[in-house]
Amino acid sequence: MNYQLLIESYSFGTPLSREEIALLSLELETQIMNINISTDFACFKTAPSHICKALNLRKGTFWIMCLAQILDLHKPLKVGKTKSVEVFDLLLKKGLVIG
């Protein structure tokens, strides 16, 4: 299933299964690996405002950040950088966001 559809469904209140969370985690890792290849992927486009709002993110947030936010909510870390911080740092390094 398309990760954007899973995020959309989640934003409307549908809970995610363990398998879906695992798929989203794999998708994020793939996107992070590919960030050095190109920034033309759909994950670098802005998510719809209703999704950003549902995830408590700013309007105009990239899909990749929405994906990281969902994983942070479902797989919180006890130590280290959250997925959202890791992705933000990568986007900052690539000049795709302003710190």
Side-chain angles (χ1 to χ4, degrees):
M1 178 175 251
N2 181 308
Y3 78 93
Q4 292 172 333
L5 291 175
L6 285 175
I7 293 173
E8 178 99 31
S9 179
Y10 177 78
S11 74
F12 287 119
T14 304
L16 296 171
S17 69
R18 282 187 216 170
E19 293 82 13
E20 289 169 330
I21 294 167
L23 286 171
L24 291 176
S25 184
L26 181 60
E27 177 65 32
L28 181 62
E29 294 307 315
T30 301
Q31 290 180 9
I32 288 171
M33 285 188 319
N34 288 329
I35 202 168
N36 291 321
I37 297 170
S38 175
T39 56
D40 290 332
F41 296 114
C43 63
F44 300 111
K45 304 223 182 303
T46 56
S49 58
H50 69 278
I51 291 176
C52 297
K53 184 178 179 182
L55 295 173
N56 294 318
L57 297 169
R58 287 184 311 152
K59 182 179 177 181
T61 297
F62 291 145
W63 277 105
I64 193 170
M65 285 299 298
C66 296
L67 181 53
Q69 178 72 3
I70 286 180
L71 292 172
D72 288 343
L73 292 170
H74 287 83
K75 295 170 72 175
L77 292 178
K78 294 181 179 156
V79 285
K81 287 184 179 182
T82 63
K83 292 294 183 187
S84 295
V85 170
E86 181 183 344
V87 169
F88 184 82
D89 287 350
L90 283 169
L91 294 174
L92 188 61
K93 183 178 174 184
K94 288 289 185 182
L96 296 169
V97 295
I98 298 171

